[in-house]
Amino acid sequence: MIPTGAMFLEKSGRLLFRWRSFTPVPLLIVALLLLWRSRGPSSPLWLVVGLALCIAGQALRAWVLGQVPDGTSGQNEKLIATQLNTSGPYALTRNPLYLGNLGIALGLCLIAHDPVLLVIVAALFALQYRAIIAAEEGFLRERFGAQFDEYCSHVPRFWPRLKRSAAPAGPWDWRRALRKEHNPAAAWIALAIVIVALDHRPLWPYAAAVGVTAALWLAIKGWKHRWLKGGFTEDLRRRLHETGR
């Protein structure tokens, strides 16, 4: 029988999993209030390390989403798994996507050079993803049984075991990675530019950079949905249908 605390954690995780794309919104509001305290000159090291973390986190996410099959990892609203991912990044950590998220989140806090924000984000990240991971593990254990338990015995839950070599994975598809990651990548890049802009004048170079980011994002989205081949209407109809559900 599953202990009450574990059941509550799994139920909370399932709810957070469904809304995980929107849970950062309240945090952004708090962050905006905190950011005004720490605006001003800072060591370039904050920016360099922060960007490095963001890029590393994004690279890890792109590695995952460019090689996993459909019906497994991704931006799904409910827990699904047609097969158990154990190769590539999943041979190093059972949650590479969430590790990538952590890198991007902490990287943005470093770019903002705000230690208080860094601590708050790290704490909230740990609370949210501990529950989500518990829900996913319960689902995968129910779905795959002994196969999942065997996988857990060799691969750590979160922090990668770098001494362990990654098992060969399927071919990496940059097109698939781009289709899956253009939204989150554009979001954190634009946010990073805005954070840096708050410390500098004039603002127009940063506004131009955000504009270029938005233009590239729209170009990739148009390519993904084939807007130039008549896909715009179909894409708009699909989004309106999803909004009305």
Side-chain angles (χ1 to χ4, degrees):
M1 185 175 179
I2 302 175
T4 304
M7 288 181 62
F8 175 76
L9 192 63
E10 284 194 26
K11 287 183 178 179
S12 300
R14 287 177 179 269
L15 180 64
L16 288 168
F17 180 89
R18 181 177 183 181
W19 297 101
R20 68 196 186 283
S21 297
F22 302 97
T23 52
V25 174
L27 181 59
L28 283 175
I29 297 173
V30 175
L32 287 174
L33 298 175
L34 288 172
L35 284 177
W36 292 114
R37 302 180 312 101
S38 54
R39 294 310 86 212
S42 65
S43 169
L45 191 60
W46 287 94
L47 177 61
V48 172
V49 176
L51 279 177
L53 265 180
C54 287
I55 292 170
Q58 183 61 72
L60 179 56
R61 285 184 56 85
W63 181 20
V64 174
L65 293 174
Q67 64 100 27
V68 295
D70 290 329
T72 54
S73 299
Q75 295 98 355
N76 306 302
E77 292 185 0
K78 61 181 180 178
L79 294 169
I80 60 171
T82 56
Q83 68 182 67
L84 186 63
N85 291 321
T86 60
S87 60
Y90 285 93
L92 304 175
T93 168
R94 303 203 303 264
N95 292 280
L97 282 177
Y98 299 154
L99 182 59
N101 289 351
L102 179 63
I104 294 171
L106 297 185
L108 288 171
C109 293
L110 291 175
I111 292 172
H113 56 87
D114 192 317
V116 174
L117 181 61
L118 181 66
V119 171
I120 292 174
V121 168
L124 292 178
F125 186 97
L127 287 173
Q128 170 171 310
Y129 281 97
R130 179 64 188 91
I132 289 176
I133 289 171
E136 290 181 331
E137 288 182 349
F139 170 79
L140 293 173
R141 186 164 283 110
E142 182 180 325
R143 178 80 169 77
F144 298 103
Q147 181 187 1
F148 179 68
D149 289 331
E150 174 67 14
Y151 171 59
C152 291
S153 68
H154 292 93
V155 179
R157 173 179 285 144
F158 195 77
W159 301 111
R161 191 176 298 162
L162 297 179
K163 292 182 180 179
R164 179 184 174 91
S165 59
W172 188 77
D173 185 349
W174 66 268
R175 295 177 183 83
R176 187 180 193 279
L178 193 59
R179 287 195 298 269
K180 294 287 186 178
E181 281 297 278
H182 66 284
N183 285 334
W188 76 255
I189 290 171
L191 186 55
I193 294 170
V194 170
I195 292 172
V196 174
L198 293 175
D199 289 332
H200 297 84
R201 294 294 185 275
L203 292 178
W204 69 263
Y206 303 97
V210 171
V212 170
T213 302
L216 289 173
W217 171 74
L218 280 173
I220 295 170
K221 187 162 288 293
W223 162 74
K224 174 185 176 180
H225 296 291
R226 300 181 179 183
W227 286 354
L228 295 180
K229 296 181 179 180
F232 180 81
T233 303
E234 180 182 344
D235 184 36
L236 180 61
R237 189 183 302 114
R238 177 181 61 83
R239 292 180 184 280
L240 291 174
H241 175 70
E242 291 177 352
T243 302
R245 281 191 303 182

